[in-house]
Amino acid sequence: MLAYLKGTVMSVYPGGRLILDVQNVGYEIFTPTVPQIGENLEFWIYTYVREDTFSLYGFLDEKEKEVFVSLIGINGVGPKSALGILSAVPYTQLMEQIESEDITALCQLPKIGKKTAGQMILSLKGKWPALKTAEKDPAHQNIKDEVSTALLRLGFRSAEVKSVLDKIDVKQGTKESLRQALSILQNL
């Protein structure tokens, strides 16, 4: 099974579908990401195989892939529904909604009713300790936001910026965090 692909986006289609060129082989990937044609991306791949289908689902973040796999394990949530959920809301926010048992917010997600929202909470609450990050400090989040904005203004692609933000140490302040991010990006 495929687990990871790195290549150039050849085509983008509605519904979160794209064609990724990996060494002159085009892979059709369904993703919550909306990339641009010509963008070089790395995807963590979930290979969905059933009797009548063979589909690849790609995620820029390995944690997002784990959330997707957890979602499709819930009765009534298939890959397309899970993809729609992750397209509508960042996985970190989804995790917070599940942990806080926010049925109202979950019911606002595409194709999610009260019954499925309740099932999501029942099945997934407390099940993602490995995905949880340290307590969110607003000051640290502000630093990440500032670094992200600066990198985007410098011309880096959003996928590159997103991959770097988890690798920097925000405790040292904005300037040092930006230096770290630039150093990481330079070595990619």
Side-chain angles (χ1 to χ4, degrees):
M1 294 295 151
L2 294 173
Y4 173 84
L5 289 172
K6 180 178 180 180
T8 305
V9 177
M10 290 177 53
S11 303
V12 178
Y13 303 99
R17 187 171 63 99
L18 62 85
I19 305 296
L20 188 72
D21 177 15
V22 180
Q23 297 181 354
N24 297 322
V25 176
Y27 291 91
E28 180 181 51
I29 299 172
F30 294 92
T31 180
T33 306
V34 182
Q36 296 179 6
I37 294 174
E39 195 171 356
N40 291 318
L41 293 177
E42 302 175 18
F43 285 103
W44 292 95
I45 300 293
Y46 176 77
T47 307
Y48 182 75
V49 180
R50 290 293 179 263
E51 198 173 284
D52 59 341
T53 188
F54 182 94
S55 302
L56 302 177
Y57 291 85
F59 307 93
L60 297 177
D61 185 318
E62 194 172 11
K63 292 177 186 176
E64 187 176 36
K65 175 186 171 185
E66 291 179 41
V67 171
F68 174 83
V69 171
S70 297
L71 286 172
I72 64 173
I74 297 171
N75 217 5
V77 179
K80 291 190 180 182
S81 294
L83 191 67
I85 291 168
L86 293 173
S87 295
V89 64
Y91 72 89
T92 52
Q93 186 177 342
L94 175 67
M95 291 168 59
E96 289 170 9
Q97 291 171 350
I98 290 171
E99 290 300 319
S100 65
E101 298 184 21
D102 190 349
I103 288 186
T104 306
L106 291 172
C107 287
Q108 293 176 358
L109 296 170
K111 299 182 182 179
I112 301 298
K114 280 190 175 185
K115 182 177 178 184
T116 305
Q119 187 64 39
M120 288 169 67
I121 292 168
L122 182 66
S123 299
L124 300 176
K125 185 176 179 185
K127 303 286 184 189
W128 287 324
L131 299 178
K132 289 181 185 172
T133 54
E135 288 290 319
K136 288 189 177 181
D137 183 353
H140 290 173
Q141 188 59 46
N142 287 341
I143 291 171
K144 281 189 174 187
D145 292 343
E146 290 173 9
V147 169
S148 174
T149 301
L151 292 173
L152 289 170
R153 286 186 180 162
L154 288 170
F156 291 99
R157 292 190 175 113
S158 59
E160 294 171 317
V161 172
K162 186 177 178 182
S163 70
V164 167
L165 289 179
D166 292 333
K167 299 176 185 175
I168 61 173
D169 181 13
V170 293
K171 294 176 187 171
Q172 298 178 3
T174 304
K175 277 186 175 180
E176 186 56 37
S177 296
L178 184 57
R179 282 190 192 120
Q180 285 178 358
L182 287 169
S183 176
I184 293 167
L185 285 166
Q186 186 177 12
N187 293 325
L188 289 179

